[in-house]
Every structure is written in C-alpha cells, then in structure tokens.
Amino acid sequence: MSKGFRPDTICVQAGWNPKKGEPRVLPIYQSTTFKYDTTEEMGRLFALEDEGYFYTRLQNPTNDAVAEKIAQLEGGVAAMLTSSGQAANFYTIANLCQAGDHIVCSAKVYGGTFNLYAATIRKLGIECTFVDPDAPAEEIDAAFRPNTKAVVGETIANPALTVLDIEKFAALAHAHGVPLIVDNTFATPINCRPFLFGADIVTHSTTKYMDGHAMAVGGCIVDSGNFDWDAYADKFPGLTTPDETYHGVVYTKQFGKKAFITKATAQLMRDLGSIPSPMNSFLLNVGLETLPLRVEKHCSNAKKTAEFLKGHEKVEFVNCAMLEGDRYYETARKYMPSGTCGVLSFGLKGTKEDAVRFMDSLKLCAIVTHVADARTCVLHPASHTHRQMNDEQLREAGVTPGMIRLSVGIENPQDIIEDLAQALEQV
C-alpha cells in the first residue's frame, strides 16, 4: 500500500493487503512455528539472507502487519512490536548502548520510564542524566558526555502534561551525533508525527490510545531511517561492525535504513523475547482502525472538561495544553495543531486527603491504573504510578502531592462534567 495515504486511511487499510480469495480482515496467525520444504530454505532465514517466518518470537505475520501499519502512520521505514511499552523503551536503549554508555532523558517522563532509566539500566552499567525539558538549550547541552548514545523524551509527558520542544531536543542530540528517541504514546501519530520535527526513533505504549479499549498490553518501536549510523560508526559498533552471532553481518551495510529495527528484532528479540502474542496484535489492529475518530473525541471532551475544572472555585490548577493560557499552549499549537490528547491533570485546593476524598466520590469516572482508553478514569500519581519516587524526584517529574490525573474518555462530555461536579461538592 502506498505511504501517500492520509492517516485515517492508513488506520483502516494499511498493513494487511489480501490477495484474491484471502481473508479481508487481518488473520490471527496463532502459530509458534512455520514449515519449510528444505533445510537450505530455513538455513537462509537463520542467516538473515532471506525474509520469511520460522518462529514467532522473531517474527509473525499478524504482528508484522500491525507493525507496518504503525510505521506508515509515523512515516517511518520499519517498526517492531513488543509485549509492552516498557519493553519498547528498554529495547531502544539496549539496541544502542552497552555497559559504560550514557543517555540523556527529560525528567518529565512516565514514572515507570523514570525507574527504568534511573535504576534498572544503571545496574546494567548504563547511566542516565535527567534534564529539565524546559531548561535553556545551553543547560541541557551540559548534560552530554563523550559516551552519550541517545536522548529521550515524551511528546506529552505522563502525567505532568509537559509538551516537549522536539526541534530543540533534536538539534541538541544531532549536534552530539546521537539520535533523539521520542515516546509518542499520548499524542499518537494522529496528532503529532515527531519525525517531521527531527526525531529519529519513536516508541509507543500501544496499550493506551492505539488499543483504546484496555484489552491488550503492547508496545512499538518505529525507526525513521533518517539517522546516519555509519557517520558515527565509533559510537554505534553494534550497528556498524560485524555481529559474530550472525556470521559477521554488519546491519548498516546489509539492511541500510532498516538496520536499527533489523538488529532489534534479530538480536534483542531473539535473546530477550518480549514479543506480543498474535491475538494481542489482532486486538491492537482493531483499535487502530478507529484511532482517528477516538482521538478527536478524546480531545474535544478533554478540552470541555478542562474548561469546567479551570473555572471551578475548588480547583487550584489545570494542566491541559489545549487551554489558552496554559504554559505549553503555543508549543502544542506548533507540534499538535489539531489537539494534544484526552489526558489532563489538575490539583484541588486543599490537602492530599481532599484529593483522595474527591476521587473516592466519583461514580462514572473509575479509579484504575490505566490511562487513555475509551472510559474516563482517574489516578493519583504520587500514590500510584510515581509512588517509588522521592519528593525531589516527584518535583522534577512535575508531580505534586495533590495532583490528579484525569483521562477523559469518549462518553458524553456533560455526563463526565456532572460526575466531577458532584464529587467536588464532597471536598
């Protein structure tokens, strides 16, 4: 399918192109293995000399069809699905770094991502320096080291709702000869395509808006194909020097613009797993077909809800970049002119206990450890997703003790607002 189609069409049509007599709907290839007629045929697959399927941990037709759809949505050359968004974020770093390396990351990121980069990869010998994404470029530039291998940020930070200045971060990364990795989960490629602004690799927790129905955990990595790994060959030996586990293949020489995703699939997925089940990929594809419709409704509902909260006497602040006057309003208009996402955060005037009482009084809005699906839900970040952080780390992540994260669903907006209003009366 041509990549010239618009996102709405790609969501419905891309990835699976049935031939005469084949199923119109993407099939679930629920098989771990695939048959070949000769030993030589399978041997060439193991040697990366031919394309094809032999074991689902590496590749599966259902998974690949959905990965191709997401690659087209982002405008990338290739994509790889993972079993979760966390796996996607880990694999992007593991594909570039080894013990002794270093990355730079925005401090305004999801709590799980913060822990992954602050603690887990440190145990593997990879260090991370967190920077204030709103700091001047010169201040962020000081965080780079000779062994820095990547820069990481979130298009819209979870839950601080910080909007990343993608062009600023891309310029800094490229000045040091490293790629910019952007988690585009909240904005989705419907509202923002980071590659257009200089990002090199995009990740997603497909569990969120892409799935849209809280049915299947998953992740995705998309490569733009724009970063010239060979130009910085000494920095990225895993891509530019022979891989002895594959008979000396050099990924950039043999696979060109698809080198990053090929290495992630052939090497990391081979050794670490974290592949999604074909059934989960099938469910993800069903969600993707309605993504543009849902994103538009999420944004419309969230803006109306944010306007209500902003005007309420018991609400101290509202973070929603679609509101004029929000500190990220202009940045959001630059990168996401059609809207940001359905997630907003706000704080009540009062104590942490007041926030808890408010949440416990909600009837329509559910308290769940999830975000960005069809149903409206709330969460208290300091108690839930960011519970492992200390006070200083919470401040750096933009999380206050009384902050409430509200993921606005696609219900009738007036019903959502009325539920919030009755809960506010209990505070």
Side-chain angles (χ1 to χ4, degrees), residues 75-364:
V77 297
M80 180 183 80
L81 297 187
T82 60
S83 59
S84 70
Q86 281 294 86
N89 287 333
F90 172 67
Y91 276 25
T92 55
I93 299 306
N95 209 34
L96 299 174
C97 299
Q98 58 188 10
D101 287 340
H102 170 257
I103 65 171
V104 174
C105 182
S106 166
K108 305 290 177 67
V109 291
Y110 167 60
T113 304
F114 186 96
N115 290 332
L116 173 64
Y117 295 155
T120 301
I121 67 170
R122 185 179 294 273
K123 294 174 184 176
L124 303 178
I126 303 167
E127 289 193 73
C128 177
T129 298
F130 290 96
V131 296
D132 179 354
D134 298 325
E138 298 77 15
E139 184 178 321
I140 298 172
D141 187 72
F144 285 81
R145 304 175 187 174
N147 60 338
T148 300
K149 297 298 175 67
V151 180
V152 184
E154 293 179 356
T155 314
I156 304 172
N158 174 12
L161 283 307
T162 302
V163 178
L164 190 73
D165 187 340
I166 302 172
E167 289 185 342
K168 177 177 79 172
F169 271 76
L172 286 164
H174 297 160
H176 290 271
V178 300
L180 172 62
I181 301 165
V182 173
D183 184 326
N184 197 30
T185 296
F186 272 11
T188 83
I190 302 303
N191 281 346
C192 183
R193 300 177 83 188
F195 294 155
L196 297 178
F197 304 101
D200 301 289
I201 297 163
V202 159
T203 63
H204 284 278
S205 170
T206 62
T207 317
K208 309 305 189 296
Y209 286 119
M210 284 187 167
D211 171 279
H213 302 87
M215 291 191 297
V217 175
C220 187
I221 305 168
V222 187
D223 183 16
S224 68
N226 294 332
F227 193 85
D228 189 350
W229 307 107
D230 282 322
Y232 306 97
D234 291 345
K235 282 182 176 287
F236 306 104
L239 288 158
T240 62
T241 61
D243 179 356
E244 298 306 327
T245 69
Y246 271 115
H247 312 293
V249 63
V250 177
Y251 293 100
T252 55
K253 301 303 182 188
Q254 186 163 332
F255 300 102
K257 288 183 175 293
K258 295 185 178 182
F260 181 88
I261 292 295
T262 302
K263 177 179 179 290
T265 303
Q267 191 183 85
L268 295 181
M269 199 62 82
R270 175 197 65 189
D271 294 345
L272 300 175
S274 299
I275 197 77
S277 74
M279 182 67 201
N280 276 16
S281 296
F282 174 85
L283 293 171
L284 169 58
N285 189 59
V286 173
L288 285 167
E289 291 181 353
T290 61
L291 181 63
L293 303 174
R294 290 184 289 101
V295 164
E296 182 179 2
K297 179 68 170 175
H298 279 294
C299 289
S300 172
N301 280 3
K303 186 175 181 182
K304 293 173 184 176
T305 303
E307 289 169 346
F308 161 75
L309 289 168
K310 188 176 182 180
H312 200 284
E313 61 181 3
K314 294 183 180 180
V315 175
E316 184 175 9
F317 67 86
V318 178
N319 294 323
C320 176
M322 290 184 289
L323 288 182
E324 199 165 350
D326 186 273
R327 65 180 298 190
Y328 297 108
Y329 179 74
E330 293 300 331
T331 307
R333 280 172 57 87
K334 174 181 178 179
Y335 295 115
M336 292 158 265
S338 298
T340 54
C341 66
V343 182
L344 58 91
S345 59
F346 64 98
L348 300 181
K349 296 176 182 177
T351 64
K352 178 180 176 181
E353 288 69 32
D354 289 322
V356 171
R357 186 179 303 110
F358 164 80
M359 291 175 59
D360 289 349
S361 300
L362 292 165
K363 295 179 172 59
L364 173 69

